[in-house]
Amino acid sequence: MALTPDRVVRGLLFDRDDTLVVDVPYNADPHLVVPVPGAHRAVERARAAGLLLGVVTNQSVIAKGMATREQVDATNARVDELVGPFDTWCVCPHDAEDGCACRKPRPGMVLDAAERLGLAPEELVVIGDIGADVGAALAAGAQAVLVPTPRTRQAEVDAAPTVAATLDEAVESALAHAEAVRS
């Protein structure tokens, strides 16, 4: 399936772990950051097309007391260095049981990122590897592209409105509907 053809895309939001970088559970160590193959190229293509870019990431490692916000921020800075730069970062520091509005699949981070970027949620595409990424996008009024990994459940793939085999393919889908924001 493809993205909605009549909606203009002006920004992309990426999940961090298993979308931009190889997932290391609860990673808060910048030295363990390894981009997924093709991530830098895909992000660079979107930036070159004039899209605004952000990252929306659940980081319960903070709530669990396994890392500080500063450690997570340092890890995100390393992702920015290797794959970005990104125009905005939205981090949910809460655990699943906390009931916050920001933790994916809730829409809080997507709405926050839209506001920070000066875009309507409808102008965004969220690219991620699990159903929570898709759920957050749809709940916020954005579009979503699922890029499955071996950890993605089949039910999440079946439920996703748009599925891409690779991050580059997901970005290509968005670029087909893109309107540059940057000059």
Side-chain angles (χ1 to χ4, degrees):
M1 298 176 82
L3 295 174
T4 305
D6 61 341
R7 287 175 66 177
V8 173
V9 175
R10 300 182 74 210
L12 296 181
L13 300 178
F14 298 90
D15 172 56
R16 188 186 88 173
D17 301 318
D18 258 358
T19 300
L20 293 174
V21 298
V22 175
D23 185 31
V24 174
Y26 304 114
N27 185 26
D29 181 348
H31 298 98
L32 298 179
V33 172
V34 176
V36 298
H40 183 267
R41 181 183 64 248
V43 170
E44 181 56 37
R45 286 181 65 212
R47 185 180 309 100
L51 297 180
L52 295 175
L53 307 175
V55 178
V56 289
T57 181
N58 289 344
Q59 293 298 320
S60 64
V61 67
I62 298 168
K64 293 180 186 312
M66 299 165 60
T68 65
R69 177 61 190 250
E70 292 74 22
Q71 289 171 305
V72 170
D73 288 346
T75 303
N76 292 342
R78 182 67 175 151
V79 175
D80 224 27
E81 190 179 301
L82 295 175
V83 182
F86 295 94
D87 299 302
T88 193
W89 278 82
C90 295
V91 175
C92 172
H94 305 107
D95 211 344
E97 299 81 33
D98 290 344
C100 65
C102 53
R103 186 174 173 81
K104 296 180 286 182
R106 293 178 195 94
M109 281 193 290
V110 176
L111 296 171
D112 185 29
E115 184 176 322
R116 291 180 188 195
L117 295 172
L119 299 176
E122 296 79 19
E123 297 175 302
L124 294 171
V125 173
V126 178
I127 299 174
D129 66 302
I130 61 172
D133 301 317
V134 172
L138 300 179
Q143 294 188 81
V145 179
L146 182 73
V147 182
T149 70
R151 285 187 273 246
T152 310
R153 297 183 330 224
Q154 187 60 47
E156 294 171 313
V157 176
D158 294 343
T162 306
V163 178
T166 65
L167 182 58
D168 199 50
E169 186 180 302
V171 168
E172 183 63 35
S173 291
L175 291 178
H177 306 284
E179 179 178 290
V181 178
R182 306 173 207 265
S183 49

